[in-house]
C-alpha cells in the first residue's frame, strides 16, 4: 500500500521543500491540479527532477484533449496521469493508448461517475481507479472519505482520496483495501509534516503486518 502525497495550493519551491521533509515516509508524489494550473508542466518536471526515484502523479484531471495533455505530462516526467471517469470513453481510450506507448500508468478519477459509467470503465483493467471525495464536498459540506463503502473496483488497483485523516485511515483500509492512499492536508498542513507522514506510514505498515 503506497502513500501518495498530494501537493496543492503552494509554489513549486514550497512543494519541493515540504516533500524533502517527508520523503522517507511517502511513496508517490502527486503534482496537484492547482500546481499544474498555476505553473504548468514545469511543476511536474521540477518535482520529478528533485525526486527522480519517486513515482510522480500528474493530477491533470483530463476530460478532453487527451493525447495532447497526457503527452505533455509524460514528456515532463510523470509516471501516472489522471483522467476523469465522466469523460467520453474515446478520451479514456486515448489516455490508455498514450500511457501504454510511454510505458506509464493512467489513474481514472471516479468523482461524480454514475453506476452506468462505472460499469463501462471496468474494461480498463490496467488503470488505477481513484475513489474520490471532492475538495468542494470536504470544504463546503464537511464530508470526508470516512467509512467509505466497498469499492465497485475491488478487483482492480484502487486509490482513495479526499480528506483522509489519521483517525479515519483504519476504516478506509478495511473498506477499500486500496493500493494507494492519497493524503494531502493531513500531512502538508500539519504542524510537523515529517511526524504526520511517519504516523500514516506506521499505521499502514501495522495494517499490512496483520
Amino acid at each position: 500500500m503506497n502513500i501518495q502525497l498530494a501537493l496543492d495550493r503552494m509554489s513549486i519551491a514550497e512543494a519541493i521543500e515540504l516533500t524533502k521533509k517527508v520523503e522517507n515516509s511517502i511513496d508517490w508524489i502527486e503534482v496537484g491540479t492547482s500546481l499544474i494550473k498555476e505553473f504548468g508542466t514545469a511543476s511536474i518536471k521540477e518535482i520529478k527532477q528533485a525526486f527522480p526515484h519517486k513515482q510522480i502523479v500528474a493530477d491533470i484531471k483530463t476530460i478532453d484533449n487527451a493525447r495532447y495533455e497526457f503527452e505533455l505530462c509524460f514528456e515532463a516526467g510523470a509516471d501516472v496521469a489522471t483522467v476523469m471517469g465522466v469523460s467520453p470513453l474515446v478520451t479514456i481510450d486515448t489516455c490508455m493508448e498514450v500511457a501504454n506507448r510511454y510505458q506509464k500508468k493512467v489513474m481514472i478519477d471516479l468523482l461524480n461517475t454514475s453506476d452506468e459509467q462505472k460499469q463501462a470503465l471496468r474494461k480498463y483493467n490496467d488503470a488505477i481507479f481513484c475513489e474520490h471525495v471532492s475538495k468542494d464536498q470536504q470544504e463546503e459540506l464537511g464530508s470526508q472519505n470516512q467509512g467509505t463503502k466497498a469499492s465497485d473496483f475491488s478487483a482492480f488497483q484502487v486509490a482513495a482520496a479526499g480528506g483522509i485523516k489519521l483517525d479515519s485511515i483504519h476504516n478506509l483500509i478495511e473498506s477499500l483495501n486500496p493500493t494507494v492512499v492519497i493524503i494531502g492536508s493531513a500531512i502538508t498542513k500539519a504542524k510537523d509534516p515529517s511526524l504526520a507522514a511517519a504516523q500514516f506510514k506506521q499505521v499502514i505498515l501495522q495494517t499490512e503486518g496483520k
Side-chain angles (χ1 to χ4, degrees):
M1 194 178 305
N2 296 294
I3 293 178
Q4 178 173 313
L5 176 68
L7 300 168
D8 274 297
R9 304 184 191 184
M10 62 184 75
S11 69
I12 299 172
E14 288 170 336
I16 291 172
E17 181 183 1
L18 190 148
T19 304
K20 285 179 178 177
K21 295 177 182 177
V22 304
E23 63 177 311
N24 291 335
S25 298
I26 58 105
D27 306 289
W28 294 13
I29 302 169
E30 175 189 315
V31 185
T33 314
S34 64
L35 275 173
I36 297 173
K37 285 187 174 183
E38 187 167 0
F39 304 106
T41 55
S43 58
I44 303 168
K45 187 175 296 183
E46 290 186 37
I47 291 172
K48 183 62 175 181
Q49 287 173 347
F51 305 98
H53 303 301
K54 296 290 189 183
Q55 289 282 108
I56 303 298
V57 181
D59 190 19
I60 196 164
K61 290 186 171 69
T62 289
I63 198 164
D64 192 16
N65 207 13
R67 188 174 307 280
Y68 177 73
E69 292 190 1
F70 263 50
E71 286 178 350
L72 279 178
C73 290
F74 295 141
E75 288 290 340
D79 301 287
V80 183
T82 65
V83 61
M84 300 307 294
V86 296
S87 306
L89 291 183
V90 64
T91 298
I92 303 176
D93 287 341
T94 303
C95 291
M96 298 298 295
E97 182 268 310
V98 173
N100 184 60
R101 177 157 46 87
Y102 280 85
Q103 297 185 302
K104 306 294 186 180
K105 295 286 288 184
V106 175
M107 184 179 287
I108 301 176
D109 191 321
L110 298 173
L111 183 66
N112 214 38
T113 50
S114 66
D115 290 340
E116 184 180 357
Q117 286 168 325
K118 286 178 179 177
Q119 190 61 37
L121 293 171
R122 294 177 68 85
K123 70 174 184 174
Y124 300 112
N125 45 12
D126 288 334
I128 303 163
F129 293 93
C130 182
E131 299 280 5
H132 186 187
V133 176
S134 76
K135 179 65 69 176
D136 287 339
Q137 202 170 336
Q138 295 171 54
E139 294 184 347
E140 306 300 331
L141 301 178
S143 178
Q144 296 180 352
N145 213 333
Q146 301 185 55
T148 310
K149 66 175 184 176
S151 174
D152 294 319
F153 297 89
S154 56
F156 300 81
Q157 291 188 78
V158 175
I164 297 171
K165 310 289 185 188
L166 196 60
D167 61 4
S168 65
I169 194 168
H170 284 287
N171 289 340
L172 184 70
I173 291 171
E174 287 178 5
S175 58
L176 286 181
N177 189 29
T179 305
V180 184
V181 178
I182 302 171
I183 303 168
S185 60
I187 293 175
T188 62
K189 294 183 179 178
K191 289 183 179 179
D192 186 343
S194 178
L195 175 61
Q199 289 173 328
F200 275 108
K201 190 68 171 179
Q202 186 62 29
V203 168
I204 287 171
L205 290 174
Q206 288 173 348
T207 303
E208 291 180 330
K210 288 182 179 179

